[in-house]
Amino acid sequence: MEKLLQFILIFSSIFTFSQIEIKIAPSDKRFPSTQYIKIEILNKSNHNYIVPLDTLDLRPFDDNYDWKDFDKKGVVEGSLRLQIYMKDERYKQYLFADNLPIHVNELLTKEFVDKLNSEYEEKLKEQEEWKKMNNIEDGIDIEKNRYLTENMIFLRPNEKITFCKKVNDGYVLSFSKSQKIGYFFGLINNKNYKLHLELVAPKNIKKYLSKKQKKEFSKYKIFTGIVKSNIISFKFKND
């Protein structure tokens, strides 16, 4: 009975995840450069879906799992972006992106610390304004509520969105306006790589929404789970 239940749960998960599909292709006629990939997000179901997705940029694959997970107390910005996986065509292992603080020489100066404190106070004020403006109940993470509701893709049955993103050697993760971390893959110019994208939508996402927002989105299912795109070959060219 236990094995049967496990099978049903696995089958159910696969079925649920298959409702949203990601397809990628090298370049696009709107972006003729080989540095761009075309990304298509498709709702294959008969239901209206909300897909939590930050399309501002891609985020690199690395071994710091804390900031990747929207539920964890890490960095909120960038946590809902598509994660890019790349590997040398000759090897099976995916490349880790090494991280390095940007403006590392400023980190220990009093001016830099004062700037961070000022930005933190400004952030708290903005969150309080957002809470009042949207009638957010106490106990809800305001920063995550704002980031989530500002990064939702609404898809009707069989509807899709298409956009293009540039594949870079380096990506930036922002902790604040001044505190940023650069992530670098160390890609080699004119070298071939295999790449795919992955969407990770948090399971407990509704707990970050207010009662008013839940009612507003009640005609939509909120997608949760993991979706992997197809794999494509990609030649990196350093502009």
Side-chain angles (χ1 to χ4, degrees):
M1 183 65 183
E2 184 178 349
K3 289 184 178 180
L4 177 61
L5 180 60
Q6 289 175 350
F7 174 78
I8 292 172
L9 288 174
I10 292 171
F11 181 80
S12 175
S13 297
I14 292 172
F15 178 78
T16 302
F17 296 169
S18 68
Q19 305 308 293
I20 301 298
E21 182 179 73
I22 303 174
K23 291 182 179 179
I24 61 175
S27 192
D28 183 82
K29 62 183 180 180
R30 293 171 295 172
F31 297 92
S33 167
T34 56
Q35 289 301 91
Y36 285 86
I37 57 173
K38 184 174 88 169
I39 305 167
E40 179 182 289
I41 312 292
L42 170 66
N43 177 7
K44 297 170 60 180
S45 76
N46 296 320
H47 304 284
N48 294 322
Y49 260 101
I50 293 175
V51 180
L53 179 61
D54 179 353
T55 61
L56 182 64
D57 202 354
L58 304 174
R59 61 186 174 99
F61 171 59
D62 72 300
D63 57 355
N64 182 0
Y65 295 97
D66 286 343
W67 78 270
K68 292 178 186 177
D69 193 335
F70 182 85
D71 285 325
K72 293 186 185 295
K73 294 295 182 180
V75 178
V76 174
E77 182 182 341
S79 60
L80 293 178
R81 294 175 188 171
L82 292 170
Q83 185 161 258
I84 183 168
Y85 288 80
M86 285 190 284
K87 64 181 177 181
D88 188 315
E89 287 191 330
R90 299 173 300 174
Y91 306 108
K92 294 182 179 181
Q93 189 173 8
Y94 287 101
L95 299 174
F96 281 143
D98 294 324
N99 58 77
L100 184 69
I102 298 176
H103 309 306
V104 65
N105 294 332
E106 299 179 2
L107 293 181
L108 298 179
T109 64
K110 183 180 184 301
E111 290 78 10
F112 185 75
V113 173
D114 290 342
K115 188 187 296 185
L116 290 181
N117 289 333
S118 176
E119 289 176 2
Y120 180 70
E121 293 297 326
E122 180 183 349
K123 180 179 178 180
L124 291 180
K125 290 180 181 178
E126 289 178 354
Q127 289 181 4
E128 190 61 31
E129 291 174 2
W130 177 266
K131 180 179 179 180
K132 291 178 180 179
M133 184 172 62
N134 293 278
N135 299 315
I136 310 296
E137 299 95 321
D138 291 336
I140 294 178
D141 190 312
I142 306 302
E143 184 179 11
K144 292 183 178 180
N145 176 276
R146 182 175 182 177
Y147 178 67
L148 172 61
T149 53
E150 289 181 343
N151 291 283
M152 286 180 163
I153 305 297
F154 294 80
L155 294 175
R156 295 186 297 274
N158 299 310
E159 186 179 14
K160 67 180 179 182
I161 64 162
T162 302
F163 56 99
C164 293
K165 285 299 168 187
K166 189 174 183 179
V167 176
N168 294 309
D169 180 44
Y171 296 84
V172 176
L173 174 67
S174 298
F175 290 80
S176 66
K177 293 178 182 177
S178 300
Q179 194 175 13
K180 303 177 186 295
I181 300 291
Y183 286 80
F184 304 93
F185 279 114
L187 302 179
I188 300 174
N189 196 31
N190 289 318
K191 190 176 184 63
N192 290 319
Y193 295 91
K194 293 284 189 183
L195 72 83
H196 76 271
L197 302 180
E198 185 172 291
L199 167 68
V200 180
K203 293 180 179 179
N204 301 320
I205 206 162
K206 284 189 176 180
K207 75 178 183 181
Y208 299 106
L209 298 175
S210 68
K211 293 179 181 177
K212 181 181 178 182
Q213 290 167 339
K214 289 176 182 177
K215 185 176 180 180
E216 181 183 351
F217 304 144
S218 61
K219 293 183 179 180
Y220 287 82
K221 289 188 174 184
I222 300 180
F223 177 78
T224 64
I226 300 174
V227 181
K228 294 183 180 180
S229 76
N230 56 303
I231 300 172
I232 64 172
S233 294
F234 179 84
K235 177 176 281 190
F236 177 72
K237 288 186 178 293
N238 192 8
D239 294 341

